[in-house]
Amino acid sequence: MFYLVPVFIILPLVLMAVMIIVPNHIGKKLYPSFTKTKSSVLEIKRNDLFDLLVNYENYPIWLKYLSVVHVEKIEDDKLKIMQTYSNRKTYQELTEVRRINTDDRTEISIVKLENEFTVLWTYILEDEGENKTKITIKETTYVYHPYFRFIFKYILTDENGKNEFLIKLKKYVNKNNR
């Protein structure tokens, strides 16, 4: 009975060490940046979808998890996007860094800088026929610390909510196209 007490103390410590050391070791072997994409086809013209996506201050209308979005222009025609979340009462700042519009494709790129990582989201809009647009969210993440690199790549596979964003966007587009 006396020998069981150290097992209950040592086992959790060993498990904690494994949960920190193993992901850190694997993370050191991973390339610091990786890209994930998610696509959907929406029944909306590409220009209309573009207008909807760059109207950041109206995001709370169709993204109910946002309560307020404020936008201000900063240097080089970039936009600073400040979002306040409804439920979590948290706030994040993003920067729109690029808009490209060609005959067959439109891109909007937004960057988020954090202490542990940098994320570049690119919304790629392509015509998919009459009144249909394919939107692809390309998320490139650069993670500085090996432990977080492992966590972001393998554990938090959709940390930035690409799926939820596309679901809400599709629902809003379908509702307003009737």
Side-chain angles (χ1 to χ4, degrees), residues 53-171:
L53 290 172
V54 296
N55 190 350
Y56 301 109
E57 290 175 330
N58 281 337
Y59 273 31
I61 292 171
W62 55 278
L63 290 174
K64 300 299 182 189
Y65 54 82
L66 292 176
S67 61
V68 177
V69 177
H70 179 72
V71 178
E72 64 183 50
K73 287 190 178 204
I74 54 178
E75 79 280 342
D76 300 327
D77 290 328
K78 294 179 183 176
L79 295 177
K80 180 177 173 183
I81 306 158
M82 297 152 286
Q83 300 177 334
T84 304
Y85 287 82
S86 303
N87 297 338
R88 297 178 284 188
K89 301 296 182 201
T90 57
Y91 167 87
Q92 74 175 355
E93 288 185 8
L94 311 166
T95 304
E96 183 191 275
V97 293
R98 180 179 69 164
R99 289 184 187 186
I100 297 173
N101 198 0
T102 64
D103 288 338
D104 60 338
R105 185 176 167 127
T106 302
E107 292 185 16
I108 307 159
S109 294
I110 299 169
V111 77
K112 177 181 179 181
L113 300 171
E114 293 287 338
N115 291 334
E116 302 85 12
F117 62 92
T118 299
V119 179
L120 175 67
W121 292 285
T122 302
Y123 303 134
I124 302 166
L125 311 178
E126 300 170 293
D127 292 323
E128 279 288 309
E130 193 172 319
N131 295 330
K132 288 188 178 183
T133 304
K134 177 181 177 184
I135 177 173
T136 301
I137 300 175
K138 180 179 171 185
E139 176 185 56
T140 302
T141 307
Y142 187 91
V143 185
Y144 310 115
H145 192 280
Y147 179 80
F148 292 120
R149 195 174 302 148
F150 173 85
I151 297 298
F152 273 71
K153 186 156 186 172
Y154 296 116
I155 308 298
L156 301 175
T157 56
D158 194 28
E159 185 272 334
N160 291 313
K162 293 178 294 300
N163 287 331
E164 184 174 359
F165 183 88
L166 288 173
I167 289 167
K168 302 259 186 217
L169 180 60
K170 190 172 208 168
K171 193 183 252 185

